[in-house]
Amino acid sequence: MAVEHANILERILSNAGPPRPEDFTSPVHDERVVARIGVWIGAAMGICFLTGLISHYQQHPVGWLPLGPDPAWGYRLTQGTHVLTGTLLLPLILAKLFSAYPRLFSRPPVRGLVHLVDRLSVGLLIAATIFQIATGLANTAQYYPWKHFGFVGTHYTVAWLSVGALCLHIAFKLPVIQRALGHPLEDDEADHAQGQRRRAFLIGAFTVTAGTALLTAGQTVYPLRRLAFLAPRRPDVGPQHLPINRTAEAAGVLTSAADPSWRLHVSGPSGDVHLSRAQLTEMTEATERLPIACVEGWSADATWSGVPIRALVSLAGGGPHSTVLVESLEQKGYYARTQLPAAYAADPRTLLALRLNGEDLAVDHGYPARIIAPNRPGVLQTKWVAKLTVSPEPS
Ligand SMILES: Nc1nc2c(c(=O)[nH]1)N[C@H]1C(S)=C(S)[C@@H](COP(=O)(O)O)O[C@H]1N2
Ligand SMILES: [Mo]
């Protein structure tokens, strides 16, 4: 590697033009290394893309893919896997770029139409993947700097671009990939030392990736929680041993949530009712163990007690096919109003939760009452509920 840097420096100092691929002498710049890391990247990107799609359609339902409340841990699995594999793409992409970047200097830059499309697809693949990793990681760190574009729509669109570019790239490189994977890391006895360096690089890249997984997965894999040094959240740290996404103060509901004159307004086909917290606690109580799974990648199981939503639906004159519009005390914000589809509203596990892990809800967890439903993205588990509007049964 030292030789390599000296070569390149010499070219620059003597004004001999940009470096050529042969100036990069490290044995790590080798198609066998590039292809092996490529296989790991292909697997991680594939899993990341598919779990991301499922998560996306869970938050933005589409008619052709009816995702319901089962299994209760579904979103926890898809979103946890999505964020984890996306995070692992960072060390993997860096390793692959390092082993492959000398090829950027090959001459001539374009050797015909096919080669041009090949290079463009590589450019698009790198740009789109870096964009996805950067926006995804910013999101997991609760950093939302996008004033000019929405995160969800952009991350979703660029995902298709990067997967399209990945497929093109694999198609163009298929002969090289087959050749490279079919060959051992060293050519012959004479190449032994070089082969060892290639192997060491791959082991290093793998170790960094596995280490990143180990230090991140604890945000959702409970036994690893003490190792979650690279994750913004731990599943057991927060009021009532559960993390908080948005606090009551940030949502501007500190006063309204603590107001003893709070009433739950339930509106439906048979009219309007206003229920105090005391009246709600007198209704039939149900207790469910259900996860909160945030789009940011952390998730945790908790024990929730409260009134099944379907009891409130029938109180308001609705039925098993009614949907429920949930409105929060929160005035602004994307998640101040959410819609519970009928499959969730009718599920006996979907609660208007009043208590968490055996205590009254902390105000940051949604006191006086919040929604908790199985297999729902965290963003739709509305806190500080003020009003439920029950739709009539479709005739
Ligand atoms: N009204 C309201 N409810 C909300 C939110 C919000 O910003 N406003 N954030 C949601 C998000 S993103 C998550 S992950 C969960 C987290 O619930 P917790 O803070 O009780 O853990 O609450 C959800 N409920
Ligand atoms: Mo969230």
Side-chain angles (χ1 to χ4, degrees):
M1 211 101 77
V3 181
E4 172 171 312
H5 292 151
N7 287 347
I8 294 162
L9 197 63
E10 199 185 300
R11 281 190 72 81
I12 293 170
L13 291 179
S14 60
N15 248 337
R20 302 152 305 182
E22 56 270 28
D23 296 323
F24 299 86
T25 49
S26 161
V28 168
H29 307 307
D30 185 293
E31 67 182 32
R32 288 166 290 186
V33 175
V34 178
R36 281 163 173 81
I37 298 177
V39 171
W40 304 343
I41 292 181
M45 267 182 81
I47 297 173
C48 190
F49 178 67
L50 290 177
T51 50
L53 273 191
I54 299 175
S55 289
H56 185 79
Y57 294 134
Q58 234 154 355
Q59 194 174 330
H60 306 273
V62 279
W64 52 267
L65 187 67
L67 293 164
D70 279 300
W73 41 264
Y75 187 82
R76 189 175 191 195
L77 181 71
T78 56
Q79 193 57 13
T81 308
H82 176 69
V83 171
L84 186 67
T85 47
T87 305
L88 299 186
L89 280 173
L90 180 62
L92 289 174
I93 296 276
L94 290 177
K96 179 152 166 148
L97 285 178
F98 178 77
S99 55
Y101 85 98
R103 301 198 52 79
L104 290 176
F105 298 100
S106 59
R107 294 282 177 280
V110 177
R111 293 190 305 266
L113 192 61
V114 176
H115 188 234
L116 175 69
V117 179
D118 176 359
R119 294 211 110 187
L120 286 178
S121 72
V122 173
L124 177 64
L125 176 59
I126 296 175
T129 307
I130 289 178
F131 179 85
Q132 290 300 80
I133 296 174
T135 51
L137 284 180
N139 187 279
T140 65
Q142 278 210 315
Y143 177 62
Y144 291 83
W146 11 85
K147 293 210 172 59
H148 303 291
F149 62 90
F151 169 76
V152 175
T154 315
H155 199 73
Y156 175 79
T157 309
V158 179
W160 285 101
L161 282 181
S162 69
V163 165
L166 176 69
C167 292
L168 273 181
H169 182 58
I170 294 175
F172 278 118
K173 290 289 185 290
L174 207 54
V176 183
I177 296 172
Q178 281 174 330
R179 180 178 68 209
L181 293 180
H183 277 94
L185 287 172
E186 57 192 73
D187 301 323
D188 47 35
E189 277 298 306
D191 193 40
H192 182 67
Q194 314 275 60
Q196 291 291 36
R197 285 180 60 191
R198 291 181 196 115
R199 188 164 294 115
F201 182 81
L202 285 174
I203 293 175
F206 185 82
T207 309
V208 171
T209 306
T212 306
L214 200 65
L215 300 184
T216 313
Q219 64 181 325
T220 164
V221 180
Y222 209 69
L224 295 176
R225 65 192 182 281
R226 283 180 219 287
L227 293 177
F229 296 111
L230 293 180
R233 307 297 177 92
R234 268 181 58 165
D236 57 337
V237 175
Q240 299 171 316
H241 308 290
L242 193 71
I244 308 165
N245 185 284
R246 193 153 202 220
T247 62
E249 192 182 1
V253 298
L254 265 184
T255 318
S256 53
D259 187 345
S261 70
W262 174 88
R263 295 289 180 274
L264 176 73
H265 181 179
V266 187
S267 176
S270 61
D272 291 68
V273 269
H274 297 264
L275 299 163
S276 69
R277 210 170 179 283
Q279 286 170 306
L280 286 167
T281 51
E282 276 158 25
M283 294 181 66
T284 328
E285 190 191 67
T287 296
E288 296 290 339
R289 185 119 185 117
L290 289 173
I292 284 274
C294 183
V295 65
E296 291 149 17
W298 60 268
S299 61
D301 268 328
T303 303
W304 308 89
S305 307
V307 184
I309 290 292
R310 62 174 186 176
L312 295 164
V313 167
S314 26
L315 190 73
H321 302 288
S322 296
T323 61
V324 179
L325 172 69
V326 182
E327 289 171 83
S328 172
L329 291 171
E330 191 182 358
Q331 297 299 311
K332 292 190 288 248
Y334 278 118
Y335 302 107
R337 289 158 65 97
T338 54
Q339 187 80 42
L340 264 180
Y344 291 88
D347 192 291
R349 295 165 296 179
T350 301
L351 306 181
L352 181 77
L354 306 170
R355 298 194 303 132
L356 161 57
N357 291 337
E359 299 165 11
D360 275 346
L361 283 171
V363 70
D364 286 335
H365 285 306
Y367 183 91
R370 75 163 313 155
I371 296 293
I372 186 81
N375 199 12
R376 284 281 271 174
V379 287
L380 302 179
Q381 309 275 33
T382 315
K383 304 197 274 194
W384 315 295
V385 173
K387 184 176 179 191
L388 302 176
T389 307
V390 176
S391 79
E393 279 278 284
S395 45

